[in-house]
Amino acid sequence: MLFNSPEFIFLFLPLTLFFFFMLGRKGYYQGAIAFLVAASLLFYAWWNPPYLALLFFSIFFNYIVGSALSKRLILSVSPKLLLVLGIAVNLALIGYFKYANFFVDNVRFILGKTFNFNQIILPLAISFFTFQQITYLVDAYRGETQDYSFLEYCLFVTFFPQLIAGPIVHHKQVMPQFANKSIYRFNPEDMTVGVTIFSIGLIKKVLIADTAAVYANPVFNAAASGELFTFYDAWSGALFYTFQLYFDFSGYSEMAIGAARMFGIKLPLNFNSPYKAVNISDFWRRWHITLSNFLRDYLYIPLGGNRKGELRRNLNLIITMLLGGLWHGAGWTFVLWGGLHGVYLCLNHQWRSFRKFLGHDLKKSNWWSRTISCFITFIAVVFGWVLFRADNLESASLIVETMLGVNGIFLSASVVLPDKKLLIILFLFIWLIPNYQQWMEQYKPALNLPVVKTYSNWYSQVWKKLQWQPNQLFGGIIGVLLFIAIKIILNAPESDFLYFNF
């Protein structure tokens, strides 16, 4: 079931909210939790019911191991060995379902032989619910989890707003919120804030991401078939995919945060205007924040982080990003995309070290240097997204070569005729308009919100006066855009979210 589907918007979500609050109002708190778990399982089973068995096994196994690690269950196994075993089983599951096909295809290529192997269907959300439960095991090992029942643990894993594509949450971030009895009573503010954030995400997905896809897909499809196209086409396709991916995944994340807020639950922030980043490290602090934090805390730091010198730090960055790329997809394009970002990060660190050597104060900057840095970072990210989107290395190479002018610089379009005004509008949208957490900051829309800078110039003062308020004006604006988005949903085929593939 998709967040942007009629059955979710008009049936599943309102009915789930109604029965959850009805049970909560009568004081049946455990009943409300049980109903929410059942609804979340139905939400997951809508895609492929047989894979519920895999989800059940994962939940049961990790709950037992977590209980033993937190000493609620006594087992004659050392905690460290138990933690290693728990992580190994989780990685084995994700390795089999996500990478077995990739491994077999590469063995076939190396050996030059063909042999029968049934293709394995990737279970929906396995990357996300597996990583989320690994964080639970590590937190339990560190003594950072409280004593919650199996039913409550099921809710932690399956809570439908964040089940399919994140954000990746820690046990301690959401479960104390469900222990607060006030969330079981309907709260007009939570509902208003939640509906607004959900609507913003839906508008991003339907009106922007899906429109950008119309111009991005023909270029990448042409590259996959070996068709030649122009310099203009290559850059248009890459830029439109850059916008499509951002508005698709940020839209999904906002819909998840908004849906959770309707229940009175705050999920962690997952995006913070990443295309405004002034360097690649800043980009990864802003893009898919919960995954970036996971890779940092559970991979980069255990490898040694930056504690063992520059050479080791650079190696750790490369390893972390290679595995981060592989997490996104079982293909060499994803591995190289991750490796490219690893190189970007190493170059960024070396550049900062060089500037320190020259005596520069890295905490000081001016508007023109930030603008240049932002532009360079954005272009580097665009080239990376070509690898991320391309069907194979050959098509990625063709697009990159054309973008670099290797095949000649021709400005007339041959594959797709995008509206130049649309590109300009999208650029202005991502760089000049505040994001939703800035627009709604006084209502604390999510967890782990960044510190908002003091309003000091005319631009900031203008946007401060235009901040969201639960009034008729803003309700009318959101309502009109939401009406347009829903009308498109009802008259167009369903469009999956891109991160459902990961």
Side-chain angles (χ1 to χ4, degrees):
M1 191 181 302
L2 300 173
F3 282 172
N4 57 329
S5 64
E7 57 265 27
F8 178 85
I9 296 172
F10 298 116
L11 188 63
F12 178 85
L13 182 58
L15 286 178
T16 304
L17 286 164
F18 174 79
F19 286 107
F20 177 79
F21 288 124
M22 184 189 71
L23 291 169
R25 185 183 61 191
K26 294 182 178 181
Y28 301 141
Y29 305 128
Q30 289 298 304
I33 290 176
F35 173 77
L36 196 50
V37 170
S40 297
L41 292 174
L42 172 64
F43 175 80
Y44 185 81
W46 196 273
W47 168 73
N48 192 341
Y51 275 114
L52 268 179
L54 176 65
L55 181 60
F56 282 139
F57 169 79
S58 179
I59 290 172
F60 184 75
F61 172 80
N62 284 288
Y63 180 74
I64 295 297
V65 174
S67 297
L69 289 171
S70 58
K71 297 182 173 55
R72 298 195 305 271
L73 177 67
I74 305 301
L75 296 178
S76 56
V77 181
S78 71
K80 183 173 290 188
L81 179 60
L82 194 59
L83 176 64
V84 171
L85 175 64
I87 293 176
V89 170
N90 279 285
L91 293 180
L93 280 177
I94 197 173
Y96 173 74
F97 283 100
K98 193 166 185 176
Y99 303 109
N101 294 331
F102 177 61
F103 175 78
V104 170
D105 289 342
N106 280 278
V107 170
R108 286 170 175 162
F109 177 79
I110 293 171
L111 298 179
K113 296 181 179 180
T114 58
F115 45 88
N116 293 328
F117 181 78
N118 294 327
Q119 289 291 305
I120 299 169
I121 299 175
L122 179 66
L124 190 65
I126 188 171
S127 297
F128 289 93
F129 70 68
T130 299
F131 273 25
Q132 185 157 310
Q133 292 188 97
I134 288 176
T135 68
Y136 168 74
L137 296 183
V138 175
D139 289 347
Y141 176 76
R142 294 171 176 171
E144 298 175 356
T145 58
Q146 299 181 29
D147 187 8
Y148 292 104
S149 68
F150 179 68
L151 178 63
E152 291 167 322
Y153 180 76
C154 288
L155 180 60
F156 160 67
V157 178
T158 65
F159 185 43
F160 74 87
Q162 47 80 206
L163 170 62
I164 304 300
I168 300 170
V169 300
H170 286 264
H171 197 262
K172 60 188 176 185
Q173 289 177 315
V174 294
M175 294 317 297
Q177 296 185 65
F178 279 107
N180 182 358
K181 294 181 180 179
S182 66
I183 72 159
Y184 297 92
R185 298 295 182 100
F186 177 80
N187 184 307
E189 180 179 303
D190 284 335
M191 183 60 64
T192 303
V193 172
V195 169
T196 300
I197 298 173
F198 183 90
S199 300
I200 292 171
L202 180 64
I203 291 164
K204 280 185 175 183
K205 164 63 177 172
V206 175
L207 298 185
I208 305 178
D210 289 351
T211 300
V214 172
Y215 300 112
N217 290 338
V219 175
F220 285 92
N221 293 339
S225 63
E227 181 181 344
L228 294 179
F229 44 87
T230 69
F231 176 85
Y232 175 86
D233 286 328
W235 274 102
S236 295
L239 288 172
F240 273 112
Y241 179 71
T242 296
F243 293 126
Q244 178 198 356
L245 182 61
Y246 171 72
F247 286 109
D248 188 280
F249 194 28
S250 67
Y252 175 88
S253 296
E254 286 156 25
M255 293 170 79
I257 288 172
R261 185 61 178 265
M262 295 180 203
F263 291 90
I265 300 299
K266 292 182 181 180
L267 296 180
L269 186 67
N270 217 18
F271 279 85
N272 184 27
S273 300
Y275 293 161
K276 294 179 182 177
V278 295
N279 57 58
I280 205 67
S281 295
D282 188 29
F283 172 81
W284 280 105
R285 286 191 291 267
R286 293 167 174 264
W287 176 273
H288 204 344
I289 297 170
T290 57
L291 175 63
S292 297
N293 291 343
F294 180 93
L295 294 174
R296 179 197 64 201
D297 296 339
Y298 299 101
L299 188 55
Y300 175 69
I301 292 177
L303 285 172
N306 59 0
R307 301 187 302 273
K308 299 183 179 181
E310 287 192 5
L311 182 62
R312 180 63 180 273
R313 178 200 62 199
N314 291 341
L315 178 61
N316 293 339
L317 284 172
I318 295 292
I319 293 173
T320 300
M321 296 310 298
L322 283 171
L323 293 175
L326 190 60
W327 176 87
H328 279 85
W332 287 111
T333 52
F334 292 105
V335 175
L336 290 180
W337 169 78
L340 178 63
H341 272 270
V343 172
Y344 286 165
L345 289 168
C346 292
L347 291 174
N348 180 63
H349 280 292
Q350 295 305 125
W351 173 246
R352 289 175 61 84
S353 297
F354 179 66
R355 288 189 62 198
K356 286 182 180 179
F357 174 76
L358 295 177
H360 294 178
D361 186 350
L362 301 184
K363 295 182 180 179
K364 293 182 179 180
S365 63
N366 48 54
W367 70 268
W368 60 265
S369 65
R370 290 193 299 272
T371 301
I372 294 173
S373 297
C374 182
F375 176 75
I376 293 173
T377 302
F378 179 77
I379 295 300
V381 169
V382 170
F383 275 99
W385 288 143
V386 172
L387 272 172
F388 193 85
R389 168 61 176 85
D391 292 351
N392 49 57
L393 295 178
E394 291 77 12
S395 57
S397 177
L398 178 59
I399 294 175
V400 169
E401 287 176 358
T402 308
M403 290 171 69
L404 293 174
V406 174
N407 300 321
I409 299 178
F410 302 99
L411 297 181
S412 59
S414 61
V415 174
V416 64
L417 294 171
D419 186 348
K420 299 182 182 68
K421 294 179 182 178
L422 178 56
L423 272 178
I424 294 172
I425 291 171
L426 293 177
F427 274 115
L428 294 175
F429 192 97
I430 64 170
W431 279 333
L432 296 183
I433 297 179
N435 53 45
Y436 85 91
Q437 63 265 23
Q438 293 172 317
W439 193 42
M440 305 178 70
E441 64 175 291
Q442 59 185 324
Y443 292 91
K444 302 293 187 292
L447 297 177
N448 304 330
L449 292 173
V451 176
V452 178
K453 294 181 180 179
T454 304
Y455 296 99
S456 58
N457 54 51
W458 68 268
Y459 169 78
S460 297
Q461 290 294 335
V462 168
W463 281 114
K464 184 178 181 180
K465 292 179 180 178
L466 293 177
Q467 276 198 319
W468 180 83
Q469 297 290 337
N471 57 30
Q472 292 181 346
L473 174 62
F474 287 108
I477 294 171
I478 293 294
V480 169
L481 293 174
L482 189 58
F483 173 79
I484 296 171
I486 290 176
K487 188 174 181 180
I488 292 173
I489 290 172
L490 294 175
N491 291 279
E494 283 190 355
S495 172
D496 288 349
F497 291 90
L498 295 178
Y499 261 69
F500 279 20
N501 298 318
F502 309 138

